[in-house]
């Protein structure tokens, strides 16, 4: 059941409307069948899971404080409450010990299935693929699946990794999302530099060539240029130069300005978690026209702006912890993993944090249920898998040492 759950998580998160529900059902059933195993696994989880638990308590505690200060309902902290599953998921992995290859297989199936659905949606007349979420979130989650595909790969599976990467890139192009490009470039760069193929300059040269080819295709093929919205970006820049912020890029810049002014006015508390729209009322257009769409997007389209404007300095520090603590945990786990290359669950965890940070430049990653839930879920699972990998390595080393000692002491 644990292996099945690990497979369902990435395989179904985008291909079915219920996204995380199938995995949640398997998680709950398996836990109810053997809860004592989770309790026994608490000692094995150790300091990494404890650090993530303290981060979870800080995230939920600060959200409750903001709710109390601004007399808000529990609905406003819904996405932050999802942090509560982190210790449960990590202990679940340590207790049932599912195999990493099931997570990798689920990521591959998820990427292929998502590509098919995206092609069908665009072929049916949709301007951008968004499936059961929105186009930006679709691209962000696809990128995370690509990270799992690359860094959780079993040995000798590069042909399937390439197939999955192509499927992911096709889906991202069909989504028309531009905010994921920087994170995709970082993924490709780390993947290229971690390969055991000739020299570092050769790998970098191959990566540069691939990026140059992709850029040339995007700039020279009109239909592709329209799909990735390069023409729209050019028009947005022209409109911003004329003082018109009512565009995709213009609205983002405008919201950054609003977030900065709000943070300066309320540096200690912000305007309340989940209430960035109230900060937008400082704009004349939002006060004069209550129906103006860009005044009711619900978030700042930027992690740093969102957390700073809604929770002040404590929110800013908490955001650093939400990304920094898992990054510190995964770096330590990777050092103790015994991996000779940059791969495995800890390496995947590092790259997922990096991907979320880079995607968070143009998107509020924790303002959406699916991206918030997927972050806490995959961080907890990869932390548990990394702990188990280190535990198995220590056991193997101990057995090897015991065997060597027995051979040395054997007569003759």
């Amino acid at each position: 059941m644990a292996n099945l759950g690990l497979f369902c998580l990435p395989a179904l998160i985008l291909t079915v409307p219920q996204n995380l529900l199938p995995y949640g059902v398997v998680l709950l059933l398996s836990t109810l069948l053997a809860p004592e195993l989770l309790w026994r696994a608490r000692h094995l989880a150790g300091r990494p899971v404890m650090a993530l638990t303290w981060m979870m308590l800080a995230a939920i505690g600060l959200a409750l404080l903001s709710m109390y200060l601004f007399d808000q309902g529990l609905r406003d902290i819904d996405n932050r409450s999802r942090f509560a599953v982190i210790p449960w998921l990590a202990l679940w992995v340590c207790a049932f010990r599912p195999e990493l290859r099931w997570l990798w297989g689920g990521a591959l199936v998820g990427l292929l299935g998502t590509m098919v659905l995206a092609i069908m949606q665009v072929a049916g007349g949709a301007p951008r693929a968004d499936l059961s979420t929105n186009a930006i979130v679709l691209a962000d989650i696809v990128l995370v699946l690509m990270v799992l595909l690359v860094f959780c790969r079993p040995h000798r599976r590069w042909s399937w990794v390439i197939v999955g990467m192509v499927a992911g890139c096709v889906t991202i192009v069909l989504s028309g999302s531009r905010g994921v490009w920087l994170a995709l470039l970082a993924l490709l760069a780390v993947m290229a530099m971690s390969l055991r193929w000739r020299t570092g300059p050769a790998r970098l040269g191959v990566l540069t060539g691939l990026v140059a080819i992709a850029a040339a295709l995007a700039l020279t093929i009109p239909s592709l240029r329209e799909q990735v919205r390069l023409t729209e970006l050019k028009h947005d820049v022209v409109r911003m130069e004329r003082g018109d912020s009512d565009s995709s890029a213009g609205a983002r810049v405008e919201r950054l300005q609003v977030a900065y002014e709000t943070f300066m006015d309320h540096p200690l508390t912000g305007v309340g978690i989940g209430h960035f729209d109230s900060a937008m009322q400082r704009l004349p257009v939002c006060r004069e026209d209550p129906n103006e769409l860009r005044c009711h997007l619900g978030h700042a389209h930027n992690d740093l702006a969102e957390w700073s404007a809604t929770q002040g300095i404590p929110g800013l520090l908490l955001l650093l912890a939400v990304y920094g603590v898992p990054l510190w945990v995964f770096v330590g786990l990777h050092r103790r993993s015994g991996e000779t290359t940059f791969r495995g669950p800890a390496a995947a965890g590092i790259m997922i944090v990096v991907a979320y940070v880079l995607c968070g430049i143009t998107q509020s990653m924790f303002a959406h249920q699916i991206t918030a839930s997927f972050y806490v879920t995959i961080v907890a699972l990869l932390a548990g898998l990394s702990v188990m990998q280190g535990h198995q390595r220590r056991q193997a080393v101990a057995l090897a040492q015991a065997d060597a000692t027995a051979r040395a002491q054997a007569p003759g």
Side-chain angles (χ1 to χ4, degrees), residues 255-256 259-260 276 300-310 319:
R255 299 176 91 76
L256 289 176
Y260 174 76
F276 187 81
H301 263 299
N302 176 282
D303 269 341
L304 192 63
E306 172 78 16
W307 291 54
S308 300
T310 57
L319 178 63

Side-chain angles (χ1 to χ4, degrees), residues 42-216:
R42 68 190 188 280
H43 300 298
L44 182 61
R47 291 183 179 179
V49 176
M50 182 60 67
L52 294 176
T53 301
W54 281 112
M55 180 202 72
M56 173 270 292
L57 293 174
I60 295 178
L62 191 58
L64 291 173
L65 177 61
S66 180
M67 179 194 72
Y68 171 77
L69 292 176
F70 292 92
D71 195 23
Q72 297 171 299
L74 289 173
R75 182 180 178 182
D76 290 319
I77 66 166
D78 177 55
N79 287 338
R80 299 291 173 84
S81 67
R82 300 172 193 275
F83 279 81
V85 302
I86 287 178
W88 177 16
L89 296 177
L91 289 175
W92 179 82
V93 172
C94 294
F96 298 119
R97 306 186 182 186
E99 298 178 27
L100 183 63
R101 61 188 179 91
W102 288 85
L103 185 66
W104 178 85
L108 176 61
V109 171
L111 286 168
L112 294 175
T114 302
M115 180 189 68
V116 171
L117 294 175
I119 291 174
M120 292 174 59
Q121 187 175 29
V122 173
R128 301 171 63 183
D130 57 12
L131 303 190
S132 57
T133 176
N134 68 59
I136 301 174
V137 170
L138 172 64
D140 292 339
I141 297 298
V142 164
L143 181 74
V144 175
L145 296 183
M146 293 166 73
V147 169
L148 296 177
L149 183 77
V150 171
F151 297 102
C152 296
R153 66 187 184 276
H155 291 288
R156 300 176 183 177
R157 290 293 186 273
W158 270 111
S159 57
W160 284 111
V161 169
I162 294 172
V163 170
M165 290 290 287
V166 170
C169 290
V170 169
T171 305
I172 289 174
V173 169
L174 294 177
S175 74
S177 177
R178 302 180 299 242
V180 77
W181 291 355
L182 186 58
L184 178 59
L185 181 61
L187 170 60
L188 293 174
V190 175
M191 181 181 72
M193 298 308 294
S194 63
L195 296 178
R196 287 182 172 179
W197 185 75
R198 297 187 180 181
T199 64
R203 295 193 293 266
L204 186 59
V206 171
L207 173 65
T208 303
L210 291 174
V211 172
I213 292 172

Side-chain angles (χ1 to χ4, degrees), residues 209-395:
L210 291 174
V211 172
I213 292 172
L217 291 174
L219 292 172
T220 56
I221 301 177
S223 58
L224 186 57
R225 187 168 63 245
E226 289 293 333
Q227 187 63 46
V228 298
R229 300 166 65 216
L230 289 177
T231 304
E232 179 184 323
L233 179 60
K234 180 180 178 181
H235 293 162
D236 289 354
V237 173
V238 172
R239 292 173 64 177
M240 283 191 294
E241 291 175 348
R242 296 174 179 173
D244 181 5
S245 298
D246 192 11
S247 64
S248 178
R252 281 173 166 78
V253 174
E254 182 180 65
R255 299 176 91 76
L256 289 176
Q257 295 172 342
V258 169
Y260 174 76
E261 294 171 1
T262 303
F263 175 73
M264 297 305 293
D265 290 344
H266 308 279
L268 296 180
T269 62
V271 294
I273 184 173
H275 279 215
F276 187 81
D277 283 353
S278 63
M280 292 295 292
Q281 294 303 309
R282 66 173 57 241
L283 296 177
V285 65
C286 295
R287 294 194 300 269
E288 296 168 2
D289 185 4
N291 297 319
E292 179 62 35
L293 180 62
R294 72 178 194 265
C295 301
H296 304 283
L297 297 179
H299 54 82
H301 263 299
N302 176 282
D303 269 341
L304 192 63
E306 172 78 16
W307 291 54
S308 300
T310 57
Q311 294 182 275
I313 294 175
L316 175 61
L317 297 176
L318 180 61
L319 178 63
L320 296 178
V322 164
Y323 287 140
V325 171
L327 187 62
W328 172 75
V329 166
F330 284 126
V331 168
L333 288 171
H334 181 66
R335 288 176 176 173
R336 298 189 295 271
S337 67
E339 292 283 358
T340 57
T341 58
F342 191 70
R343 64 190 298 271
I350 292 171
M351 286 307 300
I352 282 174
V353 174
V354 170
Y356 261 75
V357 169
L358 295 177
C359 290
I361 295 174
T362 57
Q363 175 67 302
S364 297
M365 301 300 286
F366 295 93
H368 298 276
Q369 174 268 332
I370 185 171
T371 45
S373 299
F374 198 38
Y375 180 79
V376 298
T377 300
I378 203 64
V379 162
L381 291 178
L382 289 174
L385 289 166
S386 301
V387 168
M388 291 311 306
Q389 184 185 52
H391 175 67
Q392 291 166 358
R393 176 176 177 268
R394 289 191 297 271
Q395 283 186 324

